[in-house]
Amino acid sequence: MAAIFASGTLANAIAGKWQLLFFYETYRYQVDAFGWENTEMAYNCVKDGGVCDLESFARAVSTVGPVTEVGDDGVKRKVRRPTYNKVDWEKIGDGDTFDQDKFNSETDKAGFRGGVNNDALFYYWDGRRGSFESIMSEAERIIKQAQAKLTSDGLPISNGRYKALQNALKIHLNARRLEQATKLLKTFETWALEKGYKVVLGDEISRPPVPPYKQIDAEAIVKGKGLEGAEADELRNWVKEQNAAGESKRHVDAILTATELGHKLAAACAKK
């Protein structure tokens, strides 16, 4: 049995930026189908009288607020994030000129951590509390309606924006896996230390542009410690039990939701 874990970078900022890109491409996909004046997303863009580019969209829907950061001098300071003025949007491009690697590196400069204002994202949201599942369900509904409109107009559903939102969702899903792995690793290290177990890492899993994963091999730990019976089962079941509880369960549910949506998007293309 191998449990997937990750090393290094905190993943909330990684997953968040790709979800933001997914929302943007979903918005542009709806614009392709219905026109900018009829989109249900990013009302500030409609109000300004045109189609938002990536920068305008990010500014329109992102939550801006104070966060605590530690400077190079070791001093903690309250700063406002994200700061999109630090981003070179021209390098990132859009549509046919979009540069995924530049998006990945440039958006990190802004300090975006996944904060999206649901009321700004969907103008009819009306202050409701939202979960990852409910937000992604709205995005799925919008995509389906756009598919139907494009089909009725005799246009292919899998255009450039559709492929772009599929790609952003795939990367977001992999970043969610990284996020879950990072949290599990931290918890596992504490638990293993208390038990006197040495953490054994397996092969690296690479899913660019997300940082690589490594595996913690539960079976290798079992064999290395010579565990048997209940002790061996406890170690083997640790990941399953962690994934079924609390914050870990919410991350797992989000991964399942994104995975299911990805399958639906691919299946829609296969039908055409």
Side-chain angles (χ1 to χ4, degrees):
M1 173 185 174
I4 297 177
F5 291 91
S7 59
T9 313
L10 290 174
N12 55 343
I14 299 173
K17 63 186 175 184
W18 296 107
Q19 186 180 25
L20 178 67
L21 181 62
F22 166 75
F23 288 143
Y24 172 67
E25 298 295 356
T26 298
Y27 157 74
R28 291 300 297 259
Y29 187 60
Q30 189 179 46
V31 169
D32 284 352
F34 293 99
W36 67 263
E37 66 276 13
N38 296 314
T39 183
E40 299 173 85
M41 300 179 71
Y43 180 70
N44 283 339
C45 295
V46 177
K47 186 174 64 176
D48 290 341
V51 181
C52 269
D53 58 13
L54 180 55
E55 176 184 3
S56 300
F57 181 87
R59 291 181 183 277
V61 305
S62 298
T63 301
V64 179
V67 298
T68 301
E69 292 186 354
V70 180
D72 294 336
D73 56 4
V75 177
K76 293 182 179 180
R77 296 180 178 85
K78 286 283 187 181
V79 294
R80 291 182 67 79
R81 295 286 184 270
T83 50
Y84 286 129
N85 289 338
K86 295 181 178 181
V87 177
D88 189 335
W89 296 96
E90 289 189 7
K91 285 184 178 179
I92 295 174
D94 196 1
D96 292 339
T97 66
F98 178 74
D99 188 318
Q100 179 173 288
D101 292 336
K102 292 298 183 184
F103 172 82
N104 191 24
S105 59
E106 285 294 322
T107 50
D108 283 346
K109 297 176 182 179
F112 178 71
R113 301 185 176 185
V116 171
N117 183 335
N118 295 338
D119 289 301
L121 184 63
F122 304 112
Y123 70 79
Y124 51 82
W125 195 256
D126 197 26
R128 287 179 288 154
R129 295 191 64 178
S131 63
F132 180 82
E133 289 76 14
S134 64
I135 295 298
M136 296 303 279
S137 178
E138 283 300 307
E140 180 183 356
R141 180 187 64 79
I142 286 171
I143 292 168
K144 284 182 176 179
Q145 288 183 343
Q147 288 172 340
K149 182 63 166 61
L150 290 170
T151 299
S152 69
D153 290 343
L155 298 171
I157 67 168
S158 182
N159 61 17
R161 293 296 180 182
Y162 192 80
K163 292 174 182 176
L165 69 87
Q166 283 183 293
N167 185 61
L169 179 65
K170 178 182 177 181
I171 299 173
H172 172 71
L173 172 59
N174 287 335
R176 280 274 179 174
R177 291 185 176 120
L178 170 61
E179 184 176 45
Q180 172 67 356
T182 302
K183 292 179 181 297
L184 279 178
L185 175 58
K186 186 175 181 179
T187 306
F188 184 81
E189 286 177 333
T190 301
W191 182 81
L193 181 62
E194 293 174 351
K195 294 286 185 179
Y197 300 153
K198 180 181 178 181
V199 177
V200 180
L201 299 178
D203 295 334
E204 191 172 85
I205 299 174
S206 180
R207 294 188 176 102
V210 175
Y213 297 77
K214 283 193 175 182
Q215 291 183 320
I216 289 182
D217 195 332
E219 287 303 323
I221 298 173
V222 167
K223 292 177 181 178
K225 291 292 291 186
L227 301 179
E228 296 179 349
E231 284 187 320
D233 290 340
E234 180 186 32
L235 177 58
R236 293 187 180 107
N237 292 331
W238 184 89
V239 173
K240 182 192 299 184
E241 292 170 357
Q242 287 293 315
N243 282 341
E247 186 177 354
S248 285
K249 184 179 185 303
R250 288 192 291 274
H251 283 295
V252 171
D253 288 345
I255 290 169
L256 294 175
T257 296
T259 301
E260 183 180 3
L261 179 54
H263 291 330
K264 289 178 179 178
L265 295 176
C269 290
K271 293 178 182 178
K272 301 300 178 182

